[in-house]
């Protein structure tokens, strides 16, 4: 029975690869079969040199089969299991039980860190098998409680452990504390912008997408970066999801409960945002899952990039389909978009006059389609600061992020208790049918909404989003039922000054 198991990545999950090795007589040659990509096929030279450096001499024709044969294998993380397989076939070591190996080999036998260590740890834990990883991946593996894993500096150390000549130290589980880094920037560092800060608090409490519209230099980027500081720390489940995604993408990460914040330049491609490529890697919208995705200069993104955000903003996940397969990545992301009201940036500004032509204004505003704006719950105008606000050096600018985060955390706790039986966590995730049955509105709210709809134009989706935001406002206020002031404030974020700027 063959006990050597490697791993290839499919989405955020690890797929087992059985490594079979046969050595026959003849001139020396190594062949790899089993739908391997270029990186796996190039492992032949790395493995041969690493084995020689570790004292294992290979002679004859070596055939390596990576099963199942119809699953694509990619990356260098199969180097170590191939080397161990050849060592076993040569009679240098014996492997009595099924064991999982991942790692890239240097020519001198050193083990280099690879992406996918966290999915490998989950796979080993679920299948109750031992895992051998490079020392550079030990920190990632230590985050998965209940896995038996060993970290090695070189192939020689792994072979010595398997022969019983040297005992590798098991990876010690790492417990992550509740502390999160201090907010930077802090809400108290932001001058003025009381309305925008209030909107950010609502967005954080209910996980609502938000759009800032204002002149250059009004503070949109600073406000967006401050949002991370008022979000509650990641729960254990969310933490593992974030680590899985970052490990799958081969990105390093700080071991704390701070939520991810990804800022994307407007020249980014659809694949970089949504994921995909030849290896089907997660995109920015997935890497920001459970955190914040900041899209500055929103109308300057390519039209197909903006429209590609429709499905993930609605569903909280994104399906990436290519000829090689289809994978689903989580995308429970809080999107913060920022833009100017016009190409020159000064439409509606009190200090400078807009110099854009009507045609330029129309083209600019047409870049943001109705369906995309409909999926952004909160639209906020960010006015230019007054001279008095600009020179308020050293003065207090309102509450600190810590105080706001306490209210946000409490509101999220209330939502989790209310919606957990339906499988939801935040108000923004609630389908309309659940919302209408369980939102608990006062009797006069319906009459207010009917009256308001005579003056404003809202789609069915837009009205549902108003009710979700109103439910969040009520949670922040500690109200058991949605009241007219909550709905009025929520509606102002859909049909207020910011939307009037965009509609000209």
């Amino acid at each position: 029975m063959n006990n050597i198991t490697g791993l290839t990545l499919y989405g955020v999950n690890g797929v087992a690869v059985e490594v079979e090795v046969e050595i026959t007589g003849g001139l020396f040659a190594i062949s790899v079969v089993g739908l391997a990509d270029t990186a796996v096929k190039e492992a032949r030279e790395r493995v041969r040199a690493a084995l020689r450096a570790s004292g294992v001499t290979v002679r004859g024709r070596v055939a390596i089969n990576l099963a199942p044969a119809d699953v694509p294998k990619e990356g260098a993380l199969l180097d170590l299991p191939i080397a161990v397989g050849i060592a076993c076939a040569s009679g240098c070591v014996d492997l009595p039980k099924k064991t999982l190996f991942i790692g890239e080999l240097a020519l001198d036998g050193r083990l280099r860190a690879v992406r996918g260590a966290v999915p490998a740890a989950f796979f080993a834990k679920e299948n109750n098998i031992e895992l051998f990883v490079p020392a550079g991946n030990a920190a990632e593996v230590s985050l998965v409680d209940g896995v038996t894993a060993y970290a090695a500096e070189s192939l020689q150390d792994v072979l010595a452990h398997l022969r019983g000549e040297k005992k590798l130290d098991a990876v010690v589980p790492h417990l992550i504390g509740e502390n999160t880094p201090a907010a930077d920037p802090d809400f108290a560092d932001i001058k003025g912008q009381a309305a925008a800060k209030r909107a950010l608090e609502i967005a954080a409490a209910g996980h609502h997408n938000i759009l800032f519209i204002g002149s250059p230099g009004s503070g949109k980027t600073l406000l967006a970066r401050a949002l991370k500081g008022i979000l509650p720390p990641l729960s254990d489940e969310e933490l593992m999801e974030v680590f899985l995604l970052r490990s799958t993408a081969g990105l390093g990460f700080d071991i704390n409960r701070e939520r991810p914040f990804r800022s994307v330049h407007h020249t980014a491609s659809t694949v970089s945002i949504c994921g995909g490529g030849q290896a089907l890697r997660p995109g920015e919208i997935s890497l920001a899952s459970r955190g914040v995705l900041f899209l500055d200069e929103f109308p300057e993104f390519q039209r197909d990039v903006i429209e590609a955000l429709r499905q993930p903003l609605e569903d909280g996940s994104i399906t990436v389909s290519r000829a090689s397969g289809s994978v689903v990545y989580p995308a429970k992301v809080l999107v913060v978009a920022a833009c100017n009201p016009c190409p020159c940036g000064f439409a509606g500004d009190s200090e400078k006059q807009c110099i854009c032509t009507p045609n330029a204004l129309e083209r600019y505003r047409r870049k943001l389609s109705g369906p995309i704006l409909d999926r952004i719950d909160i639209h906020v105008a960010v006015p230019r600061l007054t001279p008095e606000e600009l020179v308020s050096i050293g003065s207090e600018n309102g509450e600190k992020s810590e105080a706001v985060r306490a209210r946000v955390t409490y509101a999220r706790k209330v939502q989790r208790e209310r919606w957990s039986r339906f499988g939801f966590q935040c108000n923004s995730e609630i389908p309309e049918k659940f919302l209408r049955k369980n939102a608990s509105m006062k009797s006069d709210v319906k009459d207010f909404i009917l009256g308001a709809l005579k003056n404003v134009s809202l789609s069915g989706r837009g009205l549902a989003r108003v009710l979700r935001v109103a439910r969040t406002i009520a949670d922040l206020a500690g109200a058991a039922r949605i009241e007219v002031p909550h709905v009025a404030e929520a509606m102002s974020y859909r049909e207020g000054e910011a939307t009037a700027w965009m509609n000209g």
Side-chain angles (χ1 to χ4, degrees), residues 132-341:
F132 286 81
V133 298
N137 290 119
E140 297 174 52
V141 173
S142 70
L143 302 172
V144 181
D145 189 27
V147 62
T148 303
Y150 299 95
E153 294 284 351
S154 66
L155 173 61
Q156 191 170 0
D157 290 343
V158 174
L159 298 180
H161 178 91
L162 296 177
R163 286 194 292 253
E165 300 170 359
K166 174 184 177 181
K167 183 70 174 176
L168 290 173
D169 293 331
V171 175
V172 179
H174 180 93
L175 298 178
I176 303 172
E178 297 296 326
N179 293 334
T180 55
D184 183 27
D186 196 284
F187 256 39
D189 300 331
I190 302 174
K191 300 173 182 178
Q193 307 298 4
K197 289 180 184 177
R198 167 66 175 170
L200 275 180
E201 181 178 343
I202 296 168
H207 206 265
H208 301 290
N209 301 319
I210 185 169
L211 172 66
F212 288 128
I213 305 170
S215 304
S218 56
K220 302 185 294 295
T221 301
L222 186 65
L223 286 162
R225 294 189 180 281
L227 174 59
K228 183 174 68 170
I230 64 171
L231 289 169
L234 290 163
S235 65
D236 290 341
E237 181 185 350
E238 293 171 334
L239 195 67
M240 285 300 107
E241 181 182 303
V242 170
F243 289 161
L244 260 176
L245 284 161
R246 293 191 68 84
S247 179
T248 300
L251 301 177
F253 46 80
D254 296 325
I255 301 177
N256 58 46
R257 294 184 180 271
E258 188 177 35
R259 292 183 180 268
F261 181 93
R262 307 285 294 183
S263 181
V264 183
H265 195 264
H266 62 264
T267 57
S269 66
T270 306
V271 170
S272 69
I273 298 283
C274 298
Q278 188 174 1
L280 286 178
R281 297 197 182 189
E284 292 290 342
I285 196 167
S286 297
L287 295 174
S289 188
R290 305 294 182 179
V292 179
L293 179 66
F294 179 43
L295 305 174
D296 202 2
E297 305 297 345
F298 195 38
E300 301 300 334
F301 281 80
Q302 298 175 30
R303 181 64 182 261
D304 59 339
V305 173
I306 294 176
E307 297 305 316
L309 295 173
R310 288 192 192 184
Q311 183 229 343
L313 290 187
E314 190 72 19
D315 300 340
S317 63
I318 186 164
T319 304
V320 182
S321 299
R322 297 292 184 269
S324 58
S326 178
V327 296
V328 178
Y329 289 115
K332 293 181 182 293
V333 61
L334 199 167
V335 171
V336 181
C339 69
N340 299 323

Side-chain angles (χ1 to χ4, degrees), residues 40 67 83 97 100 151 154 195 299-300 349 363 379 402 439 443 449 486:
V40 178
K97 59 182 179 180
L100 178 62
S154 66
E300 301 300 334
D349 191 85
R363 282 195 304 272
H379 305 163
E402 188 178 357
S443 56
I449 293 174
H486 305 147

Side-chain angles (χ1 to χ4, degrees), residues 319-373:
T319 304
V320 182
S321 299
R322 297 292 184 269
S324 58
S326 178
V327 296
V328 178
Y329 289 115
K332 293 181 182 293
V333 61
L334 199 167
V335 171
V336 181
C339 69
N340 299 323
C342 67
C344 79
F346 297 105
D349 191 85
S350 58
E351 301 290 330
K352 288 190 178 183
Q353 186 174 359
C354 175
I355 59 172
C356 299
T357 64
N359 285 339
L361 281 169
E362 181 63 24
R363 282 195 304 272
Y364 184 78
R365 289 164 178 164
R366 206 185 301 151
K367 290 180 180 179
L368 296 184
S369 66
I372 280 295
L373 289 175

Side-chain angles (χ1 to χ4, degrees), residues 49-109:
L51 284 170
R52 187 187 301 117
S54 303
V56 179
T57 303
V58 183
R59 295 183 177 88
R61 299 179 62 84
V62 181
I64 301 165
N65 180 43
L66 306 176
D70 60 343
V71 174
K73 324 297 187 306
E74 57 94 11
L77 69 170
L78 288 170
D79 285 11
L80 182 57
I82 289 174
V84 174
I86 294 174
C88 286
S90 302
C92 297
V93 294
D94 184 40
L95 199 61
K97 59 182 179 180
K98 189 174 285 293
T99 308
L100 178 62
F101 301 88
I102 63 167
E104 177 184 343
L105 287 170
L107 296 181
D108 59 359

